[in-house]
Amino acid sequence: MNTTYTNGHVVQVKDVVKSFPVGDGEITVLKGISFQVKGGEFVSIVGPSGNGKSTLLNMITGIDRPTDGEVVVTGREVHRMSENQLASWRGENVGIIFQFFQMLPALSLLQNIILPMDFANKYTPKERRERAMHLLERVDLADQAHKLPSMVSGGQQQRAAIARALANDPALLVADEPTGNLDSRTAGDVFDLFSDLVEQGKTMLMVTHDKELARRVPRVLEIIDGKITRDEYVGGAEWAGY
Amino acid sequence: MSVIWQKVWSDVWGNKVRTMLAVLSIAVGVFAVGAIFGMSDQLVVGMDTSHQAVFPSHINTFLMDRIDRDTALALKKNEGVEDVEVLDQVTVRYKINPEDEWGRGAVILRDDYEDQIYDVVQLKEGEWPEGDGIGIERLSAQFFDLDIGDEVIFEMDKTDRALPITGKVRHPFVPPPQFGGDAVFFVDADGMERFNVTEEGFGQLSNVDASRLAQGQLSPFNIPQGEFGQLLVRVEPYSLEFAKEVGSEMKDQLAKENLEVAVTFYQDPEEHWGRIFVEGLNVVLKVLAVVSLFMSLILVLNTITALVTQQTDQIGIIKAIGGTTFTVIKIYLAGVLIFGLLALFVSLPLGAFLAFGITKWFLNLFNIDYEVFQISNRAIVLQVFAAIAAPLIAALWPVLAGATITVREAIASYGLGGDFGSSWLDRTVERVGQRLLSSSYAMALSNMFRRKGRLILTQLVLVTAGATFLMVMSLSSSITHTLDNDLGRRGYDVFLNFDDQYRIDRAVQMAEALDEVEKAEVWFSHSATLLREGQKLKEAGLGADLIGIPMGSDMYQPLIVAGRWLEPGDERVIVIGRETADENNIQVGDTVTLDLAELGDDEWQVVGLYQVIFGGGFSTDAIYAPQQAVFDATKKNNQGSQLYVRTRFHDPDYTAAVDDQLRGEYIGRNMDVFFGQTIHEIREQALSQFGITINMLMFLAVVVAVVGGIGLMGSLSISVVERTREIGVMRAIGARSASIMGMFVMEGVLQGVFSWLIAVPISLIVGRALANALGQTMFEANLDYHYNFQAVIIWLVMILIISTLASVLPARSATRISVRDSLAYA
Ligand SMILES: Nc1ncnc2c1ncn2[C@@H]1O[C@H](COP(=O)(O)OP(=O)(O)OP(=O)(O)O)[C@@H](O)[C@H]1O
Ligand SMILES: [Mg+2]
């Protein structure tokens, strides 16, 4: 599905600059970034802490706006959309996976996964439920479906978050250090899940500090001091990590 | 239905303490509004409805002489007169047991009980009076503990007679006996003949009757059958001006037949006379109800701000997965709506029942039956608004602020309020705290300032509660103070009213012969009619008593609101009531004419106006003048009927004993005491009248204090939830439950004391204005303001108790947080 974008690019970032006001002056975190991601690509973004990785992801998901430059994602000019347009667009087209807090604590895992479908008003209520159950099965959490987030482990929460990111069958998945909180074995499971998804045609952008994982991603984008310093298709090559 | 409603429900149901506090906050305000507006609506409507139902007369005329039925009914032919009804009323003395002292009562005769026209009295139990059987006014029966079958001894010339009570009757216009009214009895047309008329109900007839007795026109036992002393008239079409015109016309016409009018009352046929007792109070109560509602709303604002702040990250997630701003607004406003509905569910019936209960009690006090449960529609509308719309409006700001937060802001957890530690004030507080207090107290202090927004809102509630409490307490102490001052203007302990005029020197001598008596004085009074600048007033004359006061008397001085009181050297000057002056446009300095009936007219100068602070609404006006001037005008000397006695000691038992002794002495010398009262009895009557006002004010002060407590509790609960992680960390580094608990209780108590510090000066500044407003609505005079400094201490103690209690629950829940919980939370 969703693969027919301009030049087949799901993500197009062009000359993006991002500055934040700090005290009297401002600091420029992204200093002119341009790159493109094709449908079905798996990209890992690496770089030292505080160099602008999360900021860049925020530009792509529309969570924040660039000071200058253009961001076109799934064919939409993200930098021109209003907050509410962004919210609906994100709900349908982008699945976001955060490092920390993910789930609404008042809702069961199953309800948390139904929620984006409710917001997007996609599928019938019955389908939503079936689909959510199916997604939970896929991340191996079917038996935990009716538990509250606080009743399951960190890794299980993370997997549930991935299931939720897939709820509306978005073309693009964006994850900011999704495994930062997990032990290496669980992190490996989560990563395998991502790989499966990419194989099935999803486009995946992932920020990570985990060199083991980064090594297994086909394309690595390195950001240092707000600039792209490396953009390679390594596909398993050696990487020193940060 | 979207699963998001599940979240709304969990927020409500999952955090029961918060829900309970939010619901309670709203409910208290809604309850206060419902109870007070419901009560005031029903009260006024109930009074007026009952008033209208008895066909109140427009003109109520008391005659100096008696009139026969035909002469009276001839007045029907006058233009504008709808109908005329005759009746009679005399003042008598009665007792229940032969050994009792005489009490003062009124006996009313209706021409035909089965066919009354105006001011209709109703039979409530037993039978209408007939022959020997007498009726008793229902309230009198209650107050004086009399029942059908009991016998009442009436004073009739030399031989007293016991007559059986055969019925209980409701008279629409008797003031509550605990406000100082006399017992009221009813007899039929024959019955009246038995009574020896010593004095007419309004004090005017004694001289007249005495002279008629002397001329042998009236047997001492009888009022001739078929003659009446009182007329009830309605005019058509009604207006007060027209009623006065018809009244004056009537007076002139009666004068031509040598029938003199003693006094005429004009009565509003729509509005109950008791309104004056409730209207001023209603205003104050309504203000307080609105204050409690306002406080409720601040609490809603506080709770929702905290909820939204605390859930900032959840809002972020909702928006990150496709929820719009509108979705978020819906979620939180739905929560508020649920709080409001729950609050309405609790407070609507409670408010309605209390409103009905108070109304019933109040109306019963005013002799009005109110048995069928009723609800004021306006109160319901107000309550629905107060419970649903008002909280939604109050919550709108925090909800909008939370809902428009962007995902980035939400993820960055830059919440709604600023964090502690940035401003100059914060640093100062921190430094002062560390220098003066031990570390856990210093922590409590800086925690208190951590969320400035919430601190301000909580303080607003607590300060409002405190200031309101202090003002209400000052209001009630001002009322007592005003009363005390009024009693303080009375230098006597015992007052006796003789049945006739007696020699002053003799009466004084007899009193002062007693060791217990310090000083005695006798005043002279004569009925008079006030005319203005020689002109007959347009309406019928105002009946009044001209009271001659010995110069330099320190027995009584009313509250002077304009001009001055009588001074030695004064001659033909008078001090009159302010209301009378206002109604007739008389100013200090004006010259008025006093018509002293057979003694002719005289010119007097008004030098001052006085205000009656308490006393029945039905008494005639007193006109005070120098005694010698009154003697000169009436061609009398050295005689009087009102004895004022100052005793050596002033406690109630002592004065009561002196009262007894004096009565004995005088009766022994054939000087009958018609009526008497000690200062303590007057005080009790006045207090029971103002007790209602004071109690209601106290009740609301308590409501307001409760709202303050709930507010603080809510604020602290929020504080506990917000600091779950911090508490976990404190636990992890070894904090005991006692220190965690102590920290929260300390924070609560600090907040309480802080609010107290602010509330005191505010109440000092605003209190007087409120007292003046109440004084103006209740007495049309400023209350003698008395700031209640005792209440300042009381409120400090109360706020310490309230804030400790309000802190305990949240503090205990804080101690239950384990390290694991606090980490699992995030
Ligand atoms: N809202 C903001 N206001 C001011 N400065 C900001 C803001 N957001 C980010 N920054 C700054 O921008 C820089 C880049 O931040 P960013 O979060 O993108 O780094 P990062 O590469 O994701 O680091 P990490 O690996 O630690 O997550 C940092 O120096 C940060 O302090
Ligand atoms: Mg980052």
Side-chain angles (χ1 to χ4, degrees):
Chain A
M1 51 195 321
N2 297 332
T3 41
T4 51
Y5 303 111
T6 331
N7 315 322
H9 292 135
V10 177
V11 180
Q12 293 171 287
V13 176
K14 208 176 149 196
D15 304 328
V16 164
V17 174
K18 178 65 184 177
S19 310
F20 291 109
V22 175
D24 293 337
E26 53 171 38
I27 58 161
T28 305
V29 176
L30 299 180
K31 300 170 178 167
I33 289 201
S34 302
F35 70 97
Q36 296 175 333
V37 178
K38 284 200 204 88
E41 264 194 280
F42 190 167
V43 182
S44 79
I45 301 173
V46 299
S49 180
N51 276 239
K53 302 183 296 293
S54 298
T55 308
L56 178 60
L57 284 195
N58 284 351
M59 299 297 121
I60 292 164
T61 52
I63 284 175
D64 207 348
R65 291 165 199 285
T67 314
D68 203 3
E70 286 177 13
V71 181
V72 179
V73 180
T74 66
R76 303 284 302 272
E77 293 189 290
V78 174
H79 59 285
R80 290 188 203 277
M81 283 153 76
S82 75
E83 278 293 320
N84 276 334
Q85 285 171 327
L86 281 168
S88 319
W89 165 76
R90 256 195 314 261
E92 284 203 54
N93 299 286
V94 187
I96 307 177
I97 300 147
F98 298 100
Q99 177 181 4
F100 288 115
F101 188 83
Q102 302 264 341
M103 304 273 124
L104 295 192
L107 302 184
S108 69
L109 297 185
L110 185 72
Q111 286 170 325
N112 262 288
I113 291 160
I114 293 174
L115 199 56
M117 298 186 256
D118 276 350
F119 287 150
N121 211 5
K122 251 183 150 180
Y123 318 112
T124 66
K126 191 163 164 267
E127 281 167 358
R128 289 175 200 171
R129 185 161 264 279
E130 285 167 3
R131 190 173 158 75
M133 214 49 217
H134 171 72
L135 289 168
L136 277 173
E137 269 164 30
R138 198 156 157 197
V139 296
D140 218 10
L141 282 175
D143 50 340
Q144 313 284 328
H146 298 289
K147 287 192 177 168
L148 292 177
S150 58
M151 312 297 276
V152 303
S153 77
Q156 287 170 320
Q157 282 195 38
Q158 204 62 18
R159 267 148 53 202
I162 294 168
R164 187 182 60 193
L166 296 169
N168 284 325
D169 196 21
L172 177 65
L173 286 174
V174 175
D176 194 347
E177 296 181 48
T179 59
N181 258 3
L182 306 176
D183 64 64
S184 56
R185 236 198 80 196
T186 323
D189 290 348
V190 168
F191 184 81
D192 291 343
L193 197 56
F194 286 157
S195 301
D196 285 354
L197 291 168
V198 172
E199 253 163 52
Q200 286 157 28
K202 301 279 177 215
T203 309
M204 180 90 211
L205 277 177
M206 174 181 78
V207 170
T208 184
H209 283 274
D210 189 326
K211 55 184 174 184
E212 290 291 321
L213 295 182
R215 211 169 34 205
R216 290 161 59 186
V217 177
R219 179 180 173 189
V220 175
L221 213 65
E222 185 189 56
I223 294 183
I224 296 179
D225 195 21
K227 287 188 183 125
I228 296 180
T229 49
R230 213 174 88 174
D231 184 356
E232 287 173 16
Y233 289 82
V234 287
E238 207 51 39
W239 173 58
Y242 294 95
Chain B
M1 205 179 76
S2 169
V3 291
I4 198 67
W5 300 117
Q6 181 69 38
K7 173 187 153 43
V8 174
W9 175 245
S10 308
D11 280 345
V12 170
W13 186 245
N15 193 333
K16 291 188 193 62
V17 173
R18 179 179 60 213
T19 300
M20 193 192 74
L21 286 171
V23 169
L24 221 58
S25 318
I26 302 174
V28 176
V30 174
F31 165 73
V33 165
I36 286 165
F37 282 84
M39 175 200 79
S40 84
D41 280 358
Q42 294 185 59
L43 213 49
V44 172
V45 172
M47 279 183 158
D48 288 350
T49 309
S50 139
H51 184 62
Q52 290 151 17
V54 300
F55 300 99
S57 57
H58 299 151
I59 304 170
N60 182 353
T61 294
F62 288 82
L63 301 168
M64 291 282 220
D65 319 278
R66 280 169 210 285
I67 188 172
D68 62 76
R69 192 182 277 108
D70 292 339
T71 315
L73 297 187
L75 293 169
K76 273 205 235 185
K77 294 197 195 83
N78 281 16
E79 205 185 304
V81 172
E82 186 191 83
D83 207 345
V84 176
E85 185 174 13
V86 288
L87 68 163
D88 208 1
Q89 177 171 340
V90 295
T91 302
V92 295
R93 299 207 302 175
Y94 75 95
K95 53 187 168 187
I96 313 301
N97 301 305
E99 67 273 17
D100 290 348
E101 258 177 36
W102 288 115
R104 190 170 68 168
V107 173
I108 292 172
L109 167 150
R110 295 302 294 243
D111 193 24
D112 182 354
Y113 285 97
E114 305 289 350
D115 188 21
Q116 304 173 58
I117 308 175
Y118 302 132
D119 297 0
V120 174
V121 303
Q122 297 155 301
L123 184 66
K124 286 292 175 185
E125 217 183 307
E127 284 155 20
W128 285 117
E130 203 188 328
D132 274 355
I134 56 163
I136 184 162
E137 211 296 316
R138 171 174 66 164
L139 284 188
S140 304
Q142 221 174 62
F143 188 71
F144 298 101
D145 198 21
L146 292 170
D147 210 339
I148 292 177
D150 290 348
E151 291 203 329
V152 181
I153 304 169
F154 288 94
E155 182 187 41
M156 295 181 192
D157 195 42
K158 302 291 174 239
T159 50
D160 305 329
R161 279 201 57 186
L163 300 177
I165 296 173
T166 54
K168 285 188 189 172
V169 177
R170 170 183 182 262
H171 190 298
F173 304 148
V174 293
Q178 54 267 58
F179 287 11
D182 296 337
V184 176
F185 303 95
F186 298 87
V187 295
D188 71 351
D190 302 329
M192 198 59 123
E193 287 192 65
R194 295 166 212 286
F195 289 95
N196 172 21
V197 181
T198 45
E199 194 179 347
E200 203 273 340
F202 291 84
Q204 276 81 14
L205 290 186
S206 54
N207 304 328
V208 183
D209 281 340
S211 66
R212 290 208 297 174
L213 276 172
Q215 290 156 28
Q217 293 172 343
L218 192 68
S219 105
F221 277 87
N222 298 333
I223 291 171
Q225 193 169 5
E227 292 195 5
F228 304 89
Q230 196 185 346
L231 301 173
L232 301 178
V233 179
R234 261 198 180 202
V235 300
E236 176 65 43
Y238 174 77
S239 74
L240 181 60
E241 291 68 41
F242 188 56
K244 285 183 173 176
E245 238 171 74
V246 172
S248 303
E249 181 70 24
M250 244 170 60
K251 191 185 176 185
D252 289 345
Q253 196 171 331
L254 289 169
K256 281 182 208 137
E257 309 198 24
N258 264 336
L259 290 162
E260 209 170 337
V261 169
V263 60
T264 301
F265 294 103
Y266 296 96
Q267 184 163 247
D268 192 311
E270 302 297 328
E271 298 193 353
H272 190 270
W273 53 272
R275 268 180 170 228
I276 54 157
F277 290 98
V278 300
E279 275 174 341
L281 183 61
N282 274 347
V283 172
V284 178
L285 292 181
K286 280 179 185 170
V287 168
L288 290 182
V290 171
V291 167
S292 358
L293 179 64
F294 169 71
M295 287 166 65
S296 287
L297 295 182
I298 294 178
L299 297 185
V300 172
L301 183 66
N302 218 353
T303 310
I304 300 305
T305 305
L307 180 65
V308 169
T309 311
Q310 192 192 312
Q311 298 195 346
T312 303
D313 38 15
Q314 296 195 36
I315 295 174
I317 293 295
I318 289 171
K319 288 190 146 192
I321 61 172
T324 60
T325 302
F326 184 62
T327 316
V328 178
I329 294 176
K330 260 195 327 203
I331 292 170
Y332 289 98
L333 288 189
V336 176
L337 192 67
I338 294 176
F339 292 152
L341 285 171
L342 287 173
L344 190 65
F345 182 73
V346 175
S347 54
L348 192 78
L350 266 177
F353 275 107
L354 190 73
F356 175 74
I358 301 178
T359 306
K360 180 175 152 70
W361 173 78
F362 227 113
L363 290 182
N364 287 353
L365 196 65
F366 282 89
N367 209 4
I368 296 169
D369 292 321
Y370 202 68
E371 303 303 333
V372 184
F373 184 77
Q374 287 181 42
I375 301 180
S376 146
N377 289 335
R378 187 173 73 139
I380 293 180
V381 171
L382 284 174
Q383 283 183 94
V384 169
F385 173 82
I388 310 288
L392 285 178
I393 293 168
L396 208 57
W397 180 74
V399 168
L400 280 179
T404 50
I405 200 169
T406 64
V407 183
R408 188 185 61 75
E409 287 165 330
I411 294 170
S413 271
Y414 301 147
L416 286 178
D419 267 354
F420 186 73
S422 45
S423 79
W424 165 87
L425 177 71
D426 298 332
R427 285 196 301 274
T428 310
V429 168
E430 189 113 281
R431 212 168 328 117
V432 170
Q434 272 162 2
R435 190 161 307 165
L436 297 180
L437 303 165
S438 81
S439 73
S440 80
Y441 293 167
M443 192 142 165
L445 188 69
S446 55
N447 280 340
M448 186 170 116
F449 278 89
R450 181 170 294 186
R451 289 274 174 201
K452 272 188 279 317
R454 185 163 68 243
L455 174 72
I456 291 168
L457 291 180
T458 310
Q459 281 298 315
L460 204 58
V461 171
L462 287 176
V463 168
T464 311
T468 309
F469 180 84
L470 291 174
M471 286 192 286
V472 164
M473 292 296 277
S474 293
L475 212 53
S476 100
S477 68
S478 298
I479 291 174
T480 318
H481 187 57
T482 308
L483 216 60
D484 279 339
N485 281 350
D486 199 60
L487 293 171
R489 283 187 286 270
R490 297 161 201 246
Y492 63 91
D493 298 285
V494 177
F495 163 72
L496 295 178
N497 202 351
F498 296 119
D499 65 336
D500 204 346
Q501 314 277 2
Y502 292 106
R503 274 182 54 189
I504 290 179
D505 53 355
R506 191 155 160 248
V508 169
Q509 212 171 22
M510 279 173 63
E512 288 185 343
L514 296 182
D515 267 351
E516 291 84 354
V517 172
E518 196 180 279
K519 191 179 176 209
E521 216 171 87
V522 174
W523 293 8
F524 173 74
S525 92
H526 193 279
S527 71
T529 305
L530 187 61
L531 309 175
R532 192 165 166 258
E533 285 174 1
Q535 298 278 307
K536 222 173 202 180
L537 293 171
K538 197 178 169 216
E539 71 263 38
L542 301 156
D545 275 325
L546 178 62
I547 299 177
I549 299 183
M551 274 304 85
S553 166
D554 54 0
M555 288 299 186
Y556 179 54
Q557 179 178 332
L559 175 65
I560 300 298
V561 288
R564 61 170 177 85
W565 180 234
L566 305 170
E567 282 168 6
D570 276 343
E571 284 177 13
R572 299 176 74 82
V573 302
I574 52 173
V575 173
I576 64 172
R578 190 196 48 77
E579 247 165 86
T580 311
D582 279 359
E583 272 166 28
N584 300 288
N585 202 20
I586 298 170
Q587 257 105 44
V588 172
D590 286 358
T591 300
V592 297
T593 302
L594 289 182
D595 177 0
L596 301 176
E598 71 276 12
L599 296 167
D601 296 355
D602 267 315
E603 304 241 303
W604 299 73
Q605 199 196 5
V606 177
V607 294
L609 307 181
Y610 68 88
Q611 175 68 45
V612 180
I613 297 297
F614 65 92
F618 279 150
S619 53
T620 48
D621 266 339
I623 297 173
Y624 299 102
Q627 193 163 61
Q628 198 50 53
V630 180
F631 281 148
D632 291 348
T634 53
K635 302 178 183 69
K636 297 251 165 60
N637 209 5
N638 190 24
Q639 54 174 269
S641 59
Q642 301 175 352
L643 175 78
Y644 290 90
V645 173
R646 178 151 64 242
T647 54
R648 211 161 289 283
F649 301 103
H650 310 287
D651 55 287
D653 289 345
Y654 188 83
T655 49
V658 177
D659 180 38
D660 274 355
Q661 206 176 347
L662 282 169
R663 286 172 194 247
E665 291 283 329
Y666 288 116
I667 291 166
R669 303 277 190 91
N670 255 337
M671 294 162 74
D672 244 355
V673 175
F674 187 75
F675 170 72
Q677 251 181 340
T678 71
I679 196 85
H680 298 286
E681 286 165 350
I682 296 175
R683 185 186 179 80
E684 246 161 61
Q685 277 174 12
L687 278 182
S688 74
Q689 184 172 332
F690 289 107
I692 297 170
T693 309
I694 292 171
N695 287 338
M696 291 237 179
L697 290 175
M698 290 295 173
F699 168 73
L700 271 174
V702 170
V703 168
V704 163
V706 168
V707 179
I710 294 171
L712 186 58
M713 191 142 113
S715 173
L716 290 173
S717 304
I718 294 165
S719 191
V720 170
V721 175
E722 265 179 9
R723 276 148 50 198
T724 300
R725 171 158 279 180
E726 179 188 324
I727 293 162
V729 172
M730 286 179 64
R731 276 281 192 214
I733 59 171
R736 284 169 307 129
S737 290
S739 27
I740 291 175
M741 186 131 174
M743 194 178 81
F744 278 96
V745 171
M746 195 62 209
E747 187 185 337
V749 170
L750 272 174
Q751 288 235 37
V753 173
F754 192 69
S755 75
W756 175 81
L757 282 173
I758 305 174
V760 171
I762 289 179
S763 68
L764 268 167
I765 296 165
V766 189
R768 184 181 289 269
L770 191 71
N772 285 350
L774 183 72
Q776 287 297 344
T777 43
M778 283 178 66
F779 320 107
E780 298 189 40
N782 283 348
L783 290 176
D784 295 332
Y785 188 62
H786 185 260
Y787 187 81
N788 195 334
F789 283 99
Q790 230 179 324
V792 172
I793 305 300
I794 295 174
W795 181 245
L796 178 63
V797 173
M798 275 178 72
I799 195 77
L800 285 175
I801 295 170
I802 290 172
S803 54
T804 308
L805 288 179
S807 315
V808 165
L809 207 67
R812 270 200 23 215
S813 68
T815 62
R816 295 220 189 89
I817 294 171
S818 67
V819 181
R820 202 188 57 79
D821 288 341
S822 74
L823 299 180
Y825 180 79

